[in-house]
Amino acid sequence: EIVLTQSPGTLSLSPGARATLSCRASQSVSSSSLAWYQQKPGQAPRLLIYGASSRATGIPDRFSGSGSGTDFTLTISRLEPEDFAVYYCQRYASGVGTFGQGSKVEIK
Amino acid sequence: EVQLVQSRVEVKKPGESLKISCKGSGFTFTDYWIAWVRQMPGKGLEWMGIIYPGDSDTRYSPAFQGQVTISADKSISTAHLQWSSLKASDTAMYYCARLSSSWYMAGYYYYMDVWGKGTSVTVSS
């Protein structure tokens, strides 16, 4: 079973700062299977990135994804007030999905 | 509008049964896998399983196999998640989501692009 480990657990930043979130897989995974989601309190998750680096429809270009193999990154270039939330990486393959434990981006 | 509509709140006692629903609209329900995701209070997202309403092919996460039943009624574009005997530890928010795929030159991308608002399940005596 592939495990996704996200870091840091919590990132405290000011609006306008750059956020870099990491997702590490316990073994190599296909980039096509890796997605990122944003979840705000009391809301359902929202798709941000799929295929490790493709932005979903309507997602601002300040969000970008990169990586391959076991190491993937979600970058928010300049944090807007609405970006403070929890972010999850997720992998799907052959009928099975796996989520990372989440990284919280909070206002410093 | 493409959407998944879930029943919102359920309050049950331990040992009771429950079936929650997820109704799709605005897209061809039988063309997509539908996933169920659990979120316990204050915790992260957990993959429970998926179903393809077109033929009811169902896959469970090992952690949830035997604990819940996922089903679908394609005639009403609805997926279901059910328990035969609830426990207090089943208290959580349950989301359904549409699993989409798109082709690229080396294969398929897979991602959950449409989510329901979630069903809050509370199990307490």
Side-chain angles (χ1 to χ4, degrees):
Chain A
E1 179 189 344
I2 293 178
V3 176
L4 300 179
T5 302
Q6 294 186 237
S7 61
T10 301
L11 195 56
S12 298
L13 294 169
S14 301
R18 181 184 186 89
T20 303
L21 307 179
S22 171
C23 175
R24 178 161 291 176
S26 57
Q27 55 188 280
S28 183
V29 302
S30 170
S31 298
S32 67
S33 68
L34 201 286
W36 289 91
Y37 301 85
Q38 176 194 66
Q39 188 180 33
K40 298 178 182 179
Q43 296 185 18
R46 176 175 73 143
L47 175 68
L48 296 177
I49 301 286
Y50 64 94
S53 61
S54 297
R55 270 188 302 278
T57 303
I59 301 303
D61 60 7
R62 63 180 181 273
F63 291 92
S64 63
S66 63
S68 64
T70 60
D71 291 300
F72 299 89
T73 301
L74 175 69
T75 302
I76 311 171
S77 59
R78 294 172 309 279
L79 283 164
E80 297 288 341
E82 61 269 27
D83 299 336
F84 292 92
V86 179
Y87 294 85
Y88 295 93
C89 61
Q90 184 253 340
R91 180 227 180 202
Y92 173 83
S94 302
V96 180
T98 307
F99 288 96
Q101 82 277 20
S103 288
K104 182 179 182 180
V105 179
E106 65 176 23
I107 299 177
K108 186 174 183 180
Chain B
E1 180 188 4
V2 174
Q3 58 180 350
L4 293 169
V5 178
Q6 297 185 243
S7 44
R8 294 309 307 272
V9 177
E10 301 281 354
V11 180
K12 292 288 189 178
K13 290 181 166 51
E16 292 185 334
S17 63
L18 175 65
K19 189 174 188 178
I20 63 175
S21 64
C22 170
K23 182 175 176 60
S25 62
F27 64 100
T28 303
F29 195 69
T30 50
D31 284 351
Y32 294 86
W33 291 83
I34 299 295
W36 286 96
V37 175
R38 183 175 78 174
Q39 187 167 40
M40 299 178 77
K43 301 299 184 182
L45 304 173
E46 299 175 90
W47 179 278
M48 300 179 73
I50 52 170
I51 188 166
Y52 189 75
D55 62 7
S56 292
D57 186 5
T58 308
R59 318 282 176 88
Y60 292 93
S61 165
F64 292 94
Q65 178 83 49
Q67 307 304 309
V68 296
T69 301
I70 295 172
S71 62
D73 185 341
K74 63 184 179 182
S75 69
I76 54 171
S77 300
T78 300
H80 298 283
L81 178 65
Q82 68 181 85
W83 296 259
S84 59
S85 181
L86 286 160
K87 303 185 283 288
S89 57
D90 293 318
T91 294
M93 182 71 80
Y94 293 88
Y95 295 101
C96 62
R98 185 180 80 169
L99 183 71
S100 286
S101 61
S102 55
W103 170 257
Y104 72 111
M105 60 182 179
Y108 283 95
Y109 297 124
Y110 292 98
Y111 45 90
M112 294 181 288
D113 62 342
V114 180
W115 290 71
K117 293 185 186 300
T119 298
S120 173
V121 175
T122 300
V123 184
S124 175
S125 55

mmCIF file of all heavy atoms in Angstrom, chain B residues 80-118:
data_model
loop_
_atom_site.group_PDB
_atom_site.id
_atom_site.type_symbol
_atom_site.label_atom_id
_atom_site.label_comp_id
_atom_site.label_asym_id
_atom_site.label_seq_id
_atom_site.Cartn_x
_atom_site.Cartn_y
_atom_site.Cartn_z
ATOM 1 N N HIS B 80 -25.395 5.174 -3.198
ATOM 2 C CA HIS B 80 -25.724 5.035 -1.786
ATOM 3 C C HIS B 80 -24.541 4.484 -1.004
ATOM 4 O O HIS B 80 -23.712 3.743 -1.531
ATOM 5 C CB HIS B 80 -26.899 4.061 -1.610
ATOM 6 C CG HIS B 80 -28.154 4.488 -2.260
ATOM 7 N ND1 HIS B 80 -28.990 5.457 -1.746
ATOM 8 C CD2 HIS B 80 -28.739 4.082 -3.421
ATOM 9 C CE1 HIS B 80 -30.026 5.620 -2.535
ATOM 10 N NE2 HIS B 80 -29.903 4.802 -3.562
ATOM 11 N N LEU B 81 -24.513 4.855 0.258
ATOM 12 C CA LEU B 81 -23.561 4.305 1.217
ATOM 13 C C LEU B 81 -24.385 3.845 2.414
ATOM 14 O O LEU B 81 -25.185 4.627 2.939
ATOM 15 C CB LEU B 81 -22.558 5.384 1.632
ATOM 16 C CG LEU B 81 -21.508 5.010 2.667
ATOM 17 C CD1 LEU B 81 -20.557 3.948 2.130
ATOM 18 C CD2 LEU B 81 -20.718 6.262 3.087
ATOM 19 N N GLN B 82 -24.221 2.602 2.821
ATOM 20 C CA GLN B 82 -25.059 2.109 3.901
ATOM 21 C C GLN B 82 -24.298 1.295 4.937
ATOM 22 O O GLN B 82 -23.253 0.715 4.655
ATOM 23 C CB GLN B 82 -26.231 1.304 3.340
ATOM 24 C CG GLN B 82 -25.893 -0.002 2.689
ATOM 25 C CD GLN B 82 -27.158 -0.679 2.162
ATOM 26 O OE1 GLN B 82 -27.640 -0.415 1.062
ATOM 27 N NE2 GLN B 82 -27.715 -1.568 2.973
ATOM 28 N N TRP B 83 -24.883 1.349 6.127
ATOM 29 C CA TRP B 83 -24.379 0.601 7.272
ATOM 30 C C TRP B 83 -25.508 -0.283 7.804
ATOM 31 O O TRP B 83 -26.651 0.168 7.888
ATOM 32 C CB TRP B 83 -23.960 1.535 8.403
ATOM 33 C CG TRP B 83 -22.813 2.460 8.129
ATOM 34 C CD1 TRP B 83 -21.521 2.311 8.526
ATOM 35 C CD2 TRP B 83 -22.871 3.712 7.438
ATOM 36 N NE1 TRP B 83 -20.764 3.379 8.131
ATOM 37 C CE2 TRP B 83 -21.572 4.262 7.450
ATOM 38 C CE3 TRP B 83 -23.894 4.424 6.793
ATOM 39 C CZ2 TRP B 83 -21.262 5.480 6.857
ATOM 40 C CZ3 TRP B 83 -23.594 5.639 6.200
ATOM 41 C CH2 TRP B 83 -22.292 6.152 6.238
ATOM 42 N N SER B 84 -25.183 -1.475 8.209
ATOM 43 C CA SER B 84 -26.194 -2.359 8.792
ATOM 44 C C SER B 84 -26.295 -2.177 10.304
ATOM 45 O O SER B 84 -27.355 -2.397 10.887
ATOM 46 C CB SER B 84 -25.885 -3.814 8.462
ATOM 47 O OG SER B 84 -24.606 -4.162 8.961
ATOM 48 N N SER B 85 -25.208 -1.772 10.935
ATOM 49 C CA SER B 85 -25.209 -1.589 12.380
ATOM 50 C C SER B 85 -24.188 -0.509 12.727
ATOM 51 O O SER B 85 -22.989 -0.770 12.763
ATOM 52 C CB SER B 85 -24.869 -2.906 13.104
ATOM 53 O OG SER B 85 -24.886 -2.724 14.502
ATOM 54 N N LEU B 86 -24.669 0.671 12.965
ATOM 55 C CA LEU B 86 -23.786 1.813 13.188
ATOM 56 C C LEU B 86 -23.076 1.742 14.535
ATOM 57 O O LEU B 86 -23.609 1.204 15.524
ATOM 58 C CB LEU B 86 -24.593 3.111 13.115
ATOM 59 C CG LEU B 86 -25.013 3.552 11.719
ATOM 60 C CD1 LEU B 86 -26.175 4.524 11.801
ATOM 61 C CD2 LEU B 86 -23.846 4.159 10.959
ATOM 62 N N LYS B 87 -21.885 2.321 14.572
ATOM 63 C CA LYS B 87 -21.103 2.456 15.800
ATOM 64 C C LYS B 87 -20.833 3.944 16.016
ATOM 65 O O LYS B 87 -20.861 4.745 15.077
ATOM 66 C CB LYS B 87 -19.781 1.698 15.674
ATOM 67 C CG LYS B 87 -19.931 0.228 15.363
ATOM 68 C CD LYS B 87 -18.588 -0.463 15.385
ATOM 69 C CE LYS B 87 -17.777 -0.200 14.156
ATOM 70 N NZ LYS B 87 -18.323 -0.916 12.984
ATOM 71 N N ALA B 88 -20.509 4.285 17.241
ATOM 72 C CA ALA B 88 -20.187 5.683 17.530
ATOM 73 C C ALA B 88 -19.020 6.165 16.680
ATOM 74 O O ALA B 88 -18.954 7.337 16.291
ATOM 75 C CB ALA B 88 -19.868 5.846 19.019
ATOM 76 N N SER B 89 -18.111 5.262 16.359
ATOM 77 C CA SER B 89 -16.935 5.626 15.562
ATOM 78 C C SER B 89 -17.280 5.905 14.093
ATOM 79 O O SER B 89 -16.405 6.333 13.329
ATOM 80 C CB SER B 89 -15.883 4.511 15.630
ATOM 81 O OG SER B 89 -16.424 3.285 15.195
ATOM 82 N N ASP B 90 -18.518 5.666 13.695
ATOM 83 C CA ASP B 90 -18.955 6.034 12.334
ATOM 84 C C ASP B 90 -19.363 7.503 12.242
ATOM 85 O O ASP B 90 -19.678 7.998 11.155
ATOM 86 C CB ASP B 90 -20.132 5.154 11.890
ATOM 87 C CG ASP B 90 -19.737 3.701 11.714
ATOM 88 O OD1 ASP B 90 -18.652 3.448 11.151
ATOM 89 O OD2 ASP B 90 -20.504 2.829 12.158
ATOM 90 N N THR B 91 -19.344 8.201 13.367
ATOM 91 C CA THR B 91 -19.652 9.638 13.372
ATOM 92 C C THR B 91 -18.637 10.377 12.510
ATOM 93 O O THR B 91 -17.429 10.337 12.768
ATOM 94 C CB THR B 91 -19.643 10.181 14.804
ATOM 95 O OG1 THR B 91 -20.712 9.584 15.540
ATOM 96 C CG2 THR B 91 -19.790 11.693 14.814
ATOM 97 N N ALA B 92 -19.111 11.039 11.483
ATOM 98 C CA ALA B 92 -18.213 11.685 10.511
ATOM 99 C C ALA B 92 -19.039 12.430 9.480
ATOM 100 O O ALA B 92 -20.265 12.320 9.429
ATOM 101 C CB ALA B 92 -17.348 10.637 9.802
ATOM 102 N N MET B 93 -18.338 13.179 8.644
ATOM 103 C CA MET B 93 -18.913 13.744 7.422
ATOM 104 C C MET B 93 -18.561 12.798 6.289
ATOM 105 O O MET B 93 -17.402 12.348 6.194
ATOM 106 C CB MET B 93 -18.336 15.132 7.159
ATOM 107 C CG MET B 93 -18.911 15.821 5.944
ATOM 108 S SD MET B 93 -20.608 16.342 6.186
ATOM 109 C CE MET B 93 -20.331 17.862 7.116
ATOM 110 N N TYR B 94 -19.520 12.506 5.454
ATOM 111 C CA TYR B 94 -19.300 11.613 4.316
ATOM 112 C C TYR B 94 -19.567 12.380 3.025
ATOM 113 O O TYR B 94 -20.632 12.942 2.831
ATOM 114 C CB TYR B 94 -20.214 10.392 4.414
ATOM 115 C CG TYR B 94 -19.847 9.513 5.590
ATOM 116 C CD1 TYR B 94 -20.405 9.745 6.839
ATOM 117 C CD2 TYR B 94 -18.924 8.488 5.459
ATOM 118 C CE1 TYR B 94 -20.047 8.971 7.943
ATOM 119 C CE2 TYR B 94 -18.560 7.699 6.543
ATOM 120 C CZ TYR B 94 -19.131 7.952 7.782
ATOM 121 O OH TYR B 94 -18.770 7.184 8.864
ATOM 122 N N TYR B 95 -18.561 12.388 2.168
ATOM 123 C CA TYR B 95 -18.669 13.074 0.882
ATOM 124 C C TYR B 95 -18.736 12.048 -0.249
ATOM 125 O O TYR B 95 -18.053 11.020 -0.203
ATOM 126 C CB TYR B 95 -17.448 13.960 0.625
ATOM 127 C CG TYR B 95 -17.284 15.116 1.563
ATOM 128 C CD1 TYR B 95 -16.389 15.077 2.607
ATOM 129 C CD2 TYR B 95 -18.032 16.292 1.385
ATOM 130 C CE1 TYR B 95 -16.226 16.150 3.464
ATOM 131 C CE2 TYR B 95 -17.869 17.376 2.242
ATOM 132 C CZ TYR B 95 -16.972 17.281 3.279
ATOM 133 O OH TYR B 95 -16.820 18.351 4.128
ATOM 134 N N CYS B 96 -19.535 12.365 -1.261
ATOM 135 C CA CYS B 96 -19.414 11.633 -2.513
ATOM 136 C C CYS B 96 -18.743 12.565 -3.514
ATOM 137 O O CYS B 96 -18.821 13.808 -3.389
ATOM 138 C CB CYS B 96 -20.765 11.148 -3.028
ATOM 139 S SG CYS B 96 -21.974 12.429 -3.434
ATOM 140 N N ALA B 97 -18.079 11.986 -4.487
ATOM 141 C CA ALA B 97 -17.367 12.780 -5.484
ATOM 142 C C ALA B 97 -17.342 12.024 -6.806
ATOM 143 O O ALA B 97 -17.291 10.795 -6.828
ATOM 144 C CB ALA B 97 -15.947 13.076 -5.018
ATOM 145 N N ARG B 98 -17.371 12.771 -7.869
ATOM 146 C CA ARG B 98 -17.294 12.184 -9.206
ATOM 147 C C ARG B 98 -15.827 12.011 -9.581
ATOM 148 O O ARG B 98 -15.038 12.952 -9.491
ATOM 149 C CB ARG B 98 -17.982 13.093 -10.229
ATOM 150 C CG ARG B 98 -18.048 12.516 -11.618
ATOM 151 C CD ARG B 98 -18.742 13.458 -12.581
ATOM 152 N NE ARG B 98 -17.863 14.516 -13.054
ATOM 153 C CZ ARG B 98 -18.162 15.337 -14.046
ATOM 154 N NH1 ARG B 98 -19.332 15.225 -14.659
ATOM 155 N NH2 ARG B 98 -17.316 16.276 -14.407
ATOM 156 N N LEU B 99 -15.474 10.801 -9.997
ATOM 157 C CA LEU B 99 -14.118 10.536 -10.459
ATOM 158 C C LEU B 99 -14.102 10.707 -11.969
ATOM 159 O O LEU B 99 -14.744 9.945 -12.691
ATOM 160 C CB LEU B 99 -13.678 9.127 -10.072
ATOM 161 C CG LEU B 99 -12.240 8.757 -10.429
ATOM 162 C CD1 LEU B 99 -11.252 9.503 -9.542
ATOM 163 C CD2 LEU B 99 -12.020 7.253 -10.291
ATOM 164 N N SER B 100 -13.381 11.706 -12.410
ATOM 165 C CA SER B 100 -13.277 11.965 -13.841
ATOM 166 C C SER B 100 -11.940 11.491 -14.377
ATOM 167 O O SER B 100 -10.978 11.333 -13.613
ATOM 168 C CB SER B 100 -13.431 13.460 -14.124
ATOM 169 O OG SER B 100 -14.768 13.855 -13.983
ATOM 170 N N SER B 101 -11.902 11.275 -15.662
ATOM 171 C CA SER B 101 -10.639 10.922 -16.295
ATOM 172 C C SER B 101 -10.522 11.700 -17.588
ATOM 173 O O SER B 101 -11.520 12.045 -18.223
ATOM 174 C CB SER B 101 -10.564 9.422 -16.566
ATOM 175 O OG SER B 101 -11.598 9.023 -17.443
ATOM 176 N N SER B 102 -9.292 12.011 -17.955
ATOM 177 C CA SER B 102 -9.059 12.658 -19.235
ATOM 178 C C SER B 102 -7.804 12.073 -19.848
ATOM 179 O O SER B 102 -6.837 11.757 -19.151
ATOM 180 C CB SER B 102 -8.968 14.179 -19.078
ATOM 181 O OG SER B 102 -7.987 14.533 -18.143
ATOM 182 N N TRP B 103 -7.855 11.942 -21.157
ATOM 183 C CA TRP B 103 -6.777 11.273 -21.880
ATOM 184 C C TRP B 103 -5.638 12.256 -22.144
ATOM 185 O O TRP B 103 -5.855 13.416 -22.437
ATOM 186 C CB TRP B 103 -7.317 10.733 -23.203
ATOM 187 C CG TRP B 103 -6.258 10.242 -24.136
ATOM 188 C CD1 TRP B 103 -5.762 10.867 -25.228
ATOM 189 C CD2 TRP B 103 -5.561 9.015 -24.027
ATOM 190 N NE1 TRP B 103 -4.791 10.099 -25.816
ATOM 191 C CE2 TRP B 103 -4.643 8.957 -25.100
ATOM 192 C CE3 TRP B 103 -5.608 7.936 -23.127
ATOM 193 C CZ2 TRP B 103 -3.791 7.857 -25.301
ATOM 194 C CZ3 TRP B 103 -4.768 6.849 -23.327
ATOM 195 C CH2 TRP B 103 -3.873 6.820 -24.397
ATOM 196 N N TYR B 104 -4.432 11.777 -21.983
ATOM 197 C CA TYR B 104 -3.282 12.489 -22.486
ATOM 198 C C TYR B 104 -2.422 11.456 -23.191
ATOM 199 O O TYR B 104 -2.706 10.268 -23.141
ATOM 200 C CB TYR B 104 -2.531 13.232 -21.380
ATOM 201 C CG TYR B 104 -1.747 12.355 -20.431
ATOM 202 C CD1 TYR B 104 -0.362 12.361 -20.418
ATOM 203 C CD2 TYR B 104 -2.401 11.533 -19.514
ATOM 204 C CE1 TYR B 104 0.355 11.558 -19.549
ATOM 205 C CE2 TYR B 104 -1.700 10.721 -18.644
ATOM 206 C CZ TYR B 104 -0.316 10.746 -18.662
ATOM 207 O OH TYR B 104 0.371 9.941 -17.792
ATOM 208 N N MET B 105 -1.386 11.870 -23.848
ATOM 209 C CA MET B 105 -0.721 10.981 -24.796
ATOM 210 C C MET B 105 -0.129 9.726 -24.163
ATOM 211 O O MET B 105 0.109 8.728 -24.839
ATOM 212 C CB MET B 105 0.347 11.741 -25.561
ATOM 213 C CG MET B 105 1.437 12.332 -24.724
ATOM 214 S SD MET B 105 2.589 13.255 -25.753
ATOM 215 C CE MET B 105 3.732 13.862 -24.526
ATOM 216 N N ALA B 106 0.108 9.765 -22.843
ATOM 217 C CA ALA B 106 0.708 8.595 -22.183
ATOM 218 C C ALA B 106 -0.303 7.811 -21.358
ATOM 219 O O ALA B 106 0.083 6.833 -20.718
ATOM 220 C CB ALA B 106 1.865 9.031 -21.309
ATOM 221 N N GLY B 107 -1.563 8.217 -21.383
ATOM 222 C CA GLY B 107 -2.549 7.477 -20.601
ATOM 223 C C GLY B 107 -3.674 8.363 -20.121
ATOM 224 O O GLY B 107 -4.110 9.259 -20.835
ATOM 225 N N TYR B 108 -4.158 8.117 -18.914
ATOM 226 C CA TYR B 108 -5.282 8.868 -18.369
ATOM 227 C C TYR B 108 -4.887 9.590 -17.082
ATOM 228 O O TYR B 108 -4.132 9.073 -16.266
ATOM 229 C CB TYR B 108 -6.444 7.931 -18.038
ATOM 230 C CG TYR B 108 -7.240 7.488 -19.241
ATOM 231 C CD1 TYR B 108 -6.966 6.282 -19.879
ATOM 232 C CD2 TYR B 108 -8.266 8.285 -19.735
ATOM 233 C CE1 TYR B 108 -7.694 5.878 -20.973
ATOM 234 C CE2 TYR B 108 -9.009 7.890 -20.840
ATOM 235 C CZ TYR B 108 -8.709 6.679 -21.452
ATOM 236 O OH TYR B 108 -9.439 6.276 -22.539
ATOM 237 N N TYR B 109 -5.444 10.803 -16.937
ATOM 238 C CA TYR B 109 -5.447 11.467 -15.649
ATOM 239 C C TYR B 109 -6.716 11.038 -14.914
ATOM 240 O O TYR B 109 -7.765 10.868 -15.534
ATOM 241 C CB TYR B 109 -5.500 12.985 -15.801
ATOM 242 C CG TYR B 109 -4.328 13.606 -16.482
ATOM 243 C CD1 TYR B 109 -4.509 14.405 -17.611
ATOM 244 C CD2 TYR B 109 -3.040 13.448 -15.994
ATOM 245 C CE1 TYR B 109 -3.435 15.016 -18.230
ATOM 246 C CE2 TYR B 109 -1.957 14.058 -16.613
ATOM 247 C CZ TYR B 109 -2.168 14.829 -17.738
ATOM 248 O OH TYR B 109 -1.105 15.428 -18.347
ATOM 249 N N TYR B 110 -6.632 10.912 -13.598
ATOM 250 C CA TYR B 110 -7.808 10.625 -12.780
ATOM 251 C C TYR B 110 -7.897 11.653 -11.670
ATOM 252 O O TYR B 110 -6.904 11.956 -11.009
ATOM 253 C CB TYR B 110 -7.732 9.224 -12.171
ATOM 254 C CG TYR B 110 -7.833 8.116 -13.180
ATOM 255 C CD1 TYR B 110 -6.702 7.481 -13.673
ATOM 256 C CD2 TYR B 110 -9.079 7.717 -13.652
ATOM 257 C CE1 TYR B 110 -6.803 6.463 -14.606
ATOM 258 C CE2 TYR B 110 -9.188 6.701 -14.587
ATOM 259 C CZ TYR B 110 -8.048 6.082 -15.061
ATOM 260 O OH TYR B 110 -8.151 5.080 -15.985
ATOM 261 N N TYR B 111 -9.091 12.183 -11.427
ATOM 262 C CA TYR B 111 -9.254 13.226 -10.417
ATOM 263 C C TYR B 111 -10.736 13.348 -10.061
ATOM 264 O O TYR B 111 -11.615 13.004 -10.842
ATOM 265 C CB TYR B 111 -8.735 14.570 -10.935
ATOM 266 C CG TYR B 111 -9.180 14.885 -12.349
ATOM 267 C CD1 TYR B 111 -10.362 15.573 -12.584
ATOM 268 C CD2 TYR B 111 -8.425 14.463 -13.442
ATOM 269 C CE1 TYR B 111 -10.783 15.843 -13.878
ATOM 270 C CE2 TYR B 111 -8.844 14.720 -14.734
ATOM 271 C CZ TYR B 111 -10.022 15.413 -14.944
ATOM 272 O OH TYR B 111 -10.427 15.677 -16.215
ATOM 273 N N MET B 112 -10.990 13.852 -8.864
ATOM 274 C CA MET B 112 -12.366 14.041 -8.391
ATOM 275 C C MET B 112 -12.732 15.510 -8.562
ATOM 276 O O MET B 112 -12.290 16.361 -7.776
ATOM 277 C CB MET B 112 -12.491 13.576 -6.943
ATOM 278 C CG MET B 112 -12.292 12.071 -6.830
ATOM 279 S SD MET B 112 -12.452 11.439 -5.164
ATOM 280 C CE MET B 112 -10.940 12.051 -4.447
ATOM 281 N N ASP B 113 -13.528 15.788 -9.568
ATOM 282 C CA ASP B 113 -13.770 17.173 -9.950
ATOM 283 C C ASP B 113 -15.114 17.728 -9.494
ATOM 284 O O ASP B 113 -15.321 18.942 -9.554
ATOM 285 C CB ASP B 113 -13.619 17.349 -11.469
ATOM 286 C CG ASP B 113 -14.623 16.517 -12.260
ATOM 287 O OD1 ASP B 113 -15.213 15.556 -11.693
ATOM 288 O OD2 ASP B 113 -14.804 16.809 -13.456
ATOM 289 N N VAL B 114 -16.020 16.877 -9.091
ATOM 290 C CA VAL B 114 -17.320 17.340 -8.590
ATOM 291 C C VAL B 114 -17.569 16.649 -7.256
ATOM 292 O O VAL B 114 -17.473 15.421 -7.171
ATOM 293 C CB VAL B 114 -18.460 17.021 -9.572
ATOM 294 C CG1 VAL B 114 -19.793 17.516 -9.010
ATOM 295 C CG2 VAL B 114 -18.192 17.632 -10.938
ATOM 296 N N TRP B 115 -17.873 17.435 -6.250
ATOM 297 C CA TRP B 115 -18.085 16.915 -4.907
ATOM 298 C C TRP B 115 -19.480 17.286 -4.412
ATOM 299 O O TRP B 115 -19.979 18.384 -4.683
ATOM 300 C CB TRP B 115 -17.068 17.508 -3.944
ATOM 301 C CG TRP B 115 -15.661 17.038 -4.152
ATOM 302 C CD1 TRP B 115 -14.832 17.368 -5.191
ATOM 303 C CD2 TRP B 115 -14.915 16.171 -3.306
ATOM 304 N NE1 TRP B 115 -13.620 16.743 -5.045
ATOM 305 C CE2 TRP B 115 -13.642 16.007 -3.890
ATOM 306 C CE3 TRP B 115 -15.185 15.502 -2.106
ATOM 307 C CZ2 TRP B 115 -12.643 15.210 -3.317
ATOM 308 C CZ3 TRP B 115 -14.204 14.713 -1.531
ATOM 309 C CH2 TRP B 115 -12.946 14.577 -2.132
ATOM 310 N N GLY B 116 -20.086 16.390 -3.659
ATOM 311 C CA GLY B 116 -21.283 16.758 -2.921
ATOM 312 C C GLY B 116 -20.905 17.595 -1.707
ATOM 313 O O GLY B 116 -19.730 17.679 -1.343
ATOM 314 N N LYS B 117 -21.898 18.204 -1.077
ATOM 315 C CA LYS B 117 -21.634 19.051 0.084
ATOM 316 C C LYS B 117 -21.417 18.251 1.370
ATOM 317 O O LYS B 117 -21.024 18.806 2.385
ATOM 318 C CB LYS B 117 -22.777 20.041 0.291
ATOM 319 C CG LYS B 117 -22.889 21.083 -0.818
ATOM 320 C CD LYS B 117 -23.945 22.107 -0.493
ATOM 321 C CE LYS B 117 -24.180 23.083 -1.637
ATOM 322 N NZ LYS B 117 -22.985 23.835 -1.989
ATOM 323 N N GLY B 118 -21.671 16.952 1.282
ATOM 324 C CA GLY B 118 -21.419 16.098 2.430
ATOM 325 C C GLY B 118 -22.666 15.792 3.232
ATOM 326 O O GLY B 118 -23.601 16.598 3.286
#
